[in-house]
Amino acid sequence: MSAIIIDGKQAAAEMRVEIARQVAELQASAGVTPGLGVILVGQDPASASYVTAKEKACAEAGMFSEDRRLSPDISQADLLAEVGRMNADPRIHGILVQLPLPRHIDEKAVINAIAPAKDVDGFTPVNIGRMLIDEPCYLPCTPHGIIQLLIRSGVETSGRHAVVVGRSNIVGKPVAHLLMRKAPGGNATVTVCHTGTRDLASFTRQADILVVAAGRAGTVTGSMIKPGATVIDVGVNRIPDATARNGFRLVGDVDFASACETAGRITPVPGGVGPMTITMLLHNTLESARRAASR
Ligand code: GUN
């Protein structure tokens, strides 16, 4: 079998055209330009490239973005002050603090400092709590992007078995919730596997929908996939490659070549989940600007 490729780049491009149209409409009707405040601490190349992609996407959608690239030595107090300043800035409707933060910074304290009304990443305890009890909230971008990809690709989730590999706060935990909630792209029976799981393959082989967010290349290979299953690969791993321009190439957590032999559909890396994450960030920022305009 040769799996159908789920094209996240294409789906994201279609959604971004619609978001750009709605941004222009909000500007015309309310005089409000959605604005995103972006904070990057340090010079991790992968984080820097994500942040640059997010800012470029904002500009293309007609949004305003303010970029703060801060020293890796910044104190916790100075970083909290930067978040506080963005909380108070009416031009900024969404705040994104790129994770991970340096070890001397208390990540939880920084996330907690983001005003929930501007938490377009959906990372604050208030947003996560609201999501869990199905109250209005900003859905975390990568999990929401995954659900949108499933819906747009016509993958039935209701009554199916979804297996999530990974239990992070950013992906594993929230995507498990979205897959199980009673809503489009949900209503699945969900199993969550993690580093404590014994015999991972015995679970992944039961999955109609397999979401892999383990953070390790090669976590899932073709023989671990049920024939015909839908595989969503959330991993982004840099592998040294002397033939590549940058000296590395990106691979997911799934061994793509062998997975294509067994899966029915699969997301590539790059060009699968990544572009959808950025799109859902734009979606949330637009939504926040709309709420600000109607206050
Ligand atoms: N680091 C990895 N993924 C994300 C994300 O979606 N948002 C932020 N802020 N940091 C990240």
Side-chain angles (χ1 to χ4, degrees), residues 75-86:
S75 71
Q76 167 112 353
D78 286 350
L79 180 54
L80 289 173
E82 198 61 54
V83 172
R85 203 189 50 70
M86 287 189 175

Side-chain angles (χ1 to χ4, degrees), residues 62-114:
M63 296 185 180
F64 159 73
S65 74
E66 188 177 285
D67 183 7
R68 282 276 171 278
R69 305 218 174 190
L70 304 170
S71 155
D73 306 324
I74 190 169
S75 71
Q76 167 112 353
D78 286 350
L79 180 54
L80 289 173
E82 198 61 54
V83 172
R85 203 189 50 70
M86 287 189 175
N87 279 339
D89 186 340
R91 298 169 308 156
I92 292 178
H93 304 99
I95 299 172
L96 177 136
V97 180
Q98 185 66 28
L99 303 180
L101 290 169
R103 289 165 71 103
H104 69 280
I105 303 273
D106 177 354
E107 203 163 274
K108 286 193 173 147
V110 175
I111 291 172
N112 273 326
I114 299 170

Side-chain angles (χ1 to χ4, degrees), residues 23-281:
V23 167
E25 206 172 276
L26 185 67
Q27 278 165 334
S29 66
V32 171
T33 301
L36 179 70
V38 178
I39 298 177
L40 173 65
V41 182
Q43 283 115 18
D44 174 65
S47 289
S49 90
Y50 294 146
V51 159
T52 302
K54 288 169 187 178
E55 287 166 346
K56 185 165 164 268
C58 268
E60 284 169 3
M63 296 185 180
F64 159 73
S65 74
E66 188 177 285
D67 183 7
R68 282 276 171 278
R69 305 218 174 190
L70 304 170
S71 155
D73 306 324
I74 190 169
S75 71
Q76 167 112 353
D78 286 350
L79 180 54
L80 289 173
E82 198 61 54
V83 172
R85 203 189 50 70
M86 287 189 175
N87 279 339
D89 186 340
R91 298 169 308 156
I92 292 178
H93 304 99
I95 299 172
L96 177 136
V97 180
Q98 185 66 28
L99 303 180
L101 290 169
R103 289 165 71 103
H104 69 280
I105 303 273
D106 177 354
E107 203 163 274
K108 286 193 173 147
V110 175
I111 291 172
N112 273 326
I114 299 170
K118 296 192 177 186
D119 174 24
V120 289
D121 251 335
F123 285 176
T124 59
V126 168
N127 257 305
I128 298 279
R130 286 189 181 147
M131 177 186 73
L132 285 177
I133 56 172
D134 301 315
E135 291 206 353
C137 65
Y138 296 114
L139 294 179
C141 301
T142 300
H144 192 194
I146 290 168
I147 300 299
Q148 289 299 320
L149 261 189
L150 292 172
I151 293 172
R152 295 176 77 94
S153 311
V155 175
E156 180 60 86
T157 53
S158 184
R160 303 291 158 91
H161 188 189
V163 175
V164 176
V165 183
R167 57 179 158 185
S168 68
N169 290 339
I170 296 184
V171 185
K173 285 181 206 167
V175 82
H177 171 72
L178 297 184
L179 286 163
M180 84 166 109
R181 72 179 178 155
K182 215 167 181 176
N187 211 29
T189 302
V190 179
T191 300
V192 180
C193 300
H194 44 74
T195 47
T197 299
R198 292 186 194 165
D199 194 4
L200 177 64
S202 70
F203 293 95
T204 58
R205 281 194 198 110
Q206 295 177 42
D208 300 309
I209 296 133
L210 179 60
V211 178
V212 189
R216 191 169 56 89
T219 299
V220 167
T221 55
S223 64
M224 298 167 71
I225 298 168
K226 178 173 166 175
T230 296
V231 177
I232 305 291
D233 188 352
V234 189
V236 184
N237 304 292
R238 290 184 169 206
I239 301 288
D241 181 348
T243 66
R245 191 169 43 91
N246 308 326
F248 67 86
R249 70 193 159 88
L250 295 180
V251 300
D253 289 351
V254 176
D255 176 52
F256 188 74
S258 65
C260 280
E261 295 300 311
T262 331
R265 295 168 199 251
I266 187 167
T267 58
V269 177
V273 173
M276 291 300 284
T277 296
I278 298 179
T279 304
M280 302 329 290
L281 180 73

Side-chain angles (χ1 to χ4, degrees), residues 15-35 57-64 93 279 281-290 293:
M15 293 184 78
R16 287 186 205 182
V17 167
E18 179 54 20
I19 289 171
R21 195 189 62 71
Q22 292 179 22
V23 167
E25 206 172 276
L26 185 67
Q27 278 165 334
S29 66
V32 171
T33 301
C58 268
E60 284 169 3
M63 296 185 180
F64 159 73
H93 304 99
T279 304
L281 180 73
L282 301 178
H283 167 91
N284 284 348
T285 305
L286 169 63
E287 183 55 31
S288 178
R290 276 208 187 107

